[in-house]
Amino acid sequence: MNRSSAVPPTVETLLRSTRVVLPEGTRPAAVALSGGRVDAVLPHNATPPAGWRLVDLDDTALLPGLVDTHVHVNDPGRTPWEGFATATRAAAAGGVTTIVDMPLNSLPPTTTVDALAVKRDVAGPRAVVDIAFWGGAVPDNAADLRPLHDAGVMGFKCFLSPSGVEEFPPLDPHRLDTVMAALAEFDALLLVHAEDPARLDAAPAPHGPRYADFLASPPPAAERDANARVLDLARARECRVHLLHLSAADPLPLIAAARRDGVRVTAETCPHFLVLTAEDVPDGATEFKCCPPIRDADNRDALWEALADGTIDCVVSDHSPCTADLKTPDFGTAWGGIASLQLGLPAVWTEAARRGHDLADVVRWMSAAPAALIGLDDRKGAIAPGRDADLVALDPDATLTVDPAALHHRNPVTAWAGRTLRGVVRRTWLRGTDITPGPPLPTAPTGEPPSRPTGRLLERTRP
């Protein structure tokens, strides 16, 4: 079921481009849109029927809208950090047409059906793009897991180490096992922020302005050991698991081996881990702080190899913004999160093209695979008849230099400031409606700029 706000009627449209990224490859084509869906994929020189609108994109590439399954909107409760109005405008500006909101850092966190209802009530009138929701698995909500599943969340997120907010505590090994056993009974997906707390406690505490000191505080072994524990339990409990924001390459062989053993595991990484390196981070530049951290160039190369061979399935933003005052110049006290929802596509395309990948690879990592992860691959993630007409026109050869003031997310703090990226989003469509935002708008204290909602609130439909 969809909970939808009013959507303006769509006009039948024929989109023409010499570079349409289709499931079978990239080629010249014309895409017919009718009733909010892709009606047909036609030859490039197809003539639009009488009364249809023709949009000729020339050599601008036409991609399916991106699906970002890792977004912290922080609304309600921490709306000064972000908010659904600003986050979804940023998504639309970046070619993202579906987001899945994380169960933290909102207040209340999405750990009960009542909290989910509050979040839906806040999101519905503000949604520029489609929004789905993750539920949370915390030590005290075992009785809430099945009701949340029945209410339509896409799965459940947990932490194995402190989350950074008191209202979303981590699972110890015993509770992790209990949650996996419970979720396996109704085949729900568990997302895991996997860093081993013992490894973190044994490492030097993060402190001061030097990035090298911060990088020593969460060692790669923390990711390796925690992911190994998750995979062992997933094997024993036959639970579906998704490993979040891989930063270190150390767990990759474990993931590949678990897949060979039949463990149902998927994994993601993020644009900042694929493009930025520890060598890029100046001391005191805490806009680069995230947990787990940006690591060195050799580690980045290993993540790209894992994307190429399929060990890593998805590339998603882990958009985790905050107010500027929380990015203190001390890596020990600064908030750990990078705001990149609007910039993921050009960031990844910049590095992917440099490494010889094509737009079809980027679409697979950032649209098709995330849509499959949440069970919406019959509607999202590809330009094909019957799919939602969620589309993005990308000029893959144009460049942009990131100006924080030109971004749509609420606070102009970003690790991408001043960086030149390749690939400019020209237009974005949601179910055939052009949702391309204009210039960033001033925000009210609630973080809600004037905007007509076009997005729908999505619920899980399978399994």
Side-chain angles (χ1 to χ4, degrees):
M1 180 177 70
N2 294 332
R3 303 173 187 264
S4 61
S5 50
V7 178
T10 57
V11 176
E12 284 79 4
T13 303
L14 193 69
L15 295 178
R16 180 182 292 161
S17 168
T18 61
R19 292 188 279 189
V20 180
V21 183
L22 301 166
E24 64 273 18
T26 301
R27 61 177 173 85
V31 181
L33 314 181
S34 179
R37 295 185 179 258
V38 176
D39 187 62
V41 178
L42 305 170
H44 182 261
N45 62 355
T47 301
W52 282 47
R53 175 177 55 192
L54 174 64
V55 178
D56 193 336
L57 300 174
D58 196 17
D59 290 333
T60 299
L62 186 65
L63 284 61
L66 304 190
V67 178
D68 192 334
T69 55
H70 197 143
V71 179
H72 294 271
V73 180
N74 308 330
D75 199 6
R78 291 189 173 96
T79 308
W81 294 17
E82 186 58 281
F84 284 103
T86 48
T88 57
R89 281 179 62 86
V96 178
T97 51
T98 301
I99 66 170
V100 189
D101 176 58
M102 282 292 170
L104 74 162
N105 304 301
S106 55
L107 294 169
T110 317
T111 53
T112 66
V113 171
D114 287 346
L116 175 63
V118 169
K119 185 167 283 193
R120 283 175 167 156
D121 287 345
V122 172
R126 298 166 175 82
V128 177
V129 302
D130 284 357
I131 304 173
F133 302 93
W134 297 113
V138 293
D140 60 354
N141 79 329
D144 296 293
L145 299 178
R146 184 59 189 258
L148 277 164
H149 176 81
D150 292 343
V153 299
M154 298 295 174
F156 298 87
K157 179 180 183 176
C158 72
F159 279 74
L160 304 189
S161 55
S163 69
V165 291
E166 292 182 1
E167 67 274 6
F168 204 94
L171 300 178
D172 61 28
H174 172 72
R175 287 190 172 98
L176 176 65
D177 185 34
T178 300
V179 165
M180 280 200 186
L183 297 185
E185 292 181 0
F186 45 95
D187 201 30
L189 177 66
L190 181 65
L191 288 70
V192 187
H193 180 125
E195 291 184 283
D196 183 73
R199 288 281 190 182
L200 296 179
D201 289 345
H207 64 282
R210 294 185 67 244
Y211 187 72
D213 293 336
F214 170 66
L215 190 58
S217 67
E223 288 189 69
R224 182 197 64 212
D225 291 0
N227 279 285
R229 182 180 306 118
V230 170
L231 293 169
D232 286 344
L233 285 174
R235 183 183 288 108
R237 293 298 186 183
E238 299 184 356
C239 179
R240 292 191 296 139
V241 294
H242 180 71
L243 305 175
L244 296 169
H245 46 49
L246 287 178
S247 151
D250 295 46
L252 295 171
L254 304 176
I255 298 167
R259 282 216 183 110
R260 289 193 296 269
D261 290 345
V263 176
R264 292 183 296 166
V265 55
T266 49
E268 69 183 39
T269 192
C270 305
H272 41 278
F273 299 137
L274 293 171
V275 181
L276 306 176
T277 68
E279 295 87 343
D280 295 327
V281 183
D283 289 344
T286 56
E287 61 269 27
F288 290 85
K289 179 183 176 180
C290 54
C291 301
I294 296 165
R295 302 189 189 275
D296 63 33
D298 288 343
N299 184 88
R300 179 184 63 173
D301 291 344
L303 295 177
W304 277 101
E305 291 172 8
L307 265 179
D309 68 23
T311 304
I312 296 176
D313 305 87
C314 308
V315 180
V316 293
S317 68
D318 191 8
H319 179 72
S320 185
C322 66
T323 53
D325 61 295
L326 295 179
K327 284 293 190 181
T328 69
D330 185 320
F331 278 99
T333 59
W335 175 257
I338 290 179
S340 57
L341 182 56
Q342 185 174 335
L343 298 170
L345 177 54
V348 172
W349 172 236
T350 299
E351 188 67 16
R354 188 178 76 82
R355 292 171 180 266
H357 293 286
D358 58 22
L359 284 173
D361 293 326
V362 174
V363 165
R364 183 172 69 255
W365 302 325
M366 302 187 77
S367 185
L373 177 71
I374 57 175
L376 293 181
D377 47 324
D378 57 340
R379 297 165 51 192
K380 310 287 187 181
I383 300 175
R387 304 287 183 101
D388 288 353
D390 299 350
L391 304 161
V392 54
L394 177 76
D395 186 338
D397 303 314
T399 60
L400 66 104
T401 299
V402 178
D403 174 7
L407 300 177
H408 288 271
H409 66 257
R410 180 160 171 74
N411 293 285
V413 179
T414 177
W416 303 98
R419 183 173 286 263
T420 298
L421 302 176
R422 177 180 174 187
V424 175
V425 172
R426 300 299 188 190
R427 295 176 72 176
T428 305
W429 294 266
L430 180 70
R431 283 183 299 280
T433 297
D434 191 332
I435 60 169
T436 312
L441 297 172
T443 57
T446 61
E448 182 177 357
S451 176
R452 184 176 184 177
T454 49
R456 295 178 179 175
L457 305 187
L458 306 178
E459 296 181 2
R460 179 191 42 76
T461 56
R462 67 181 199 273

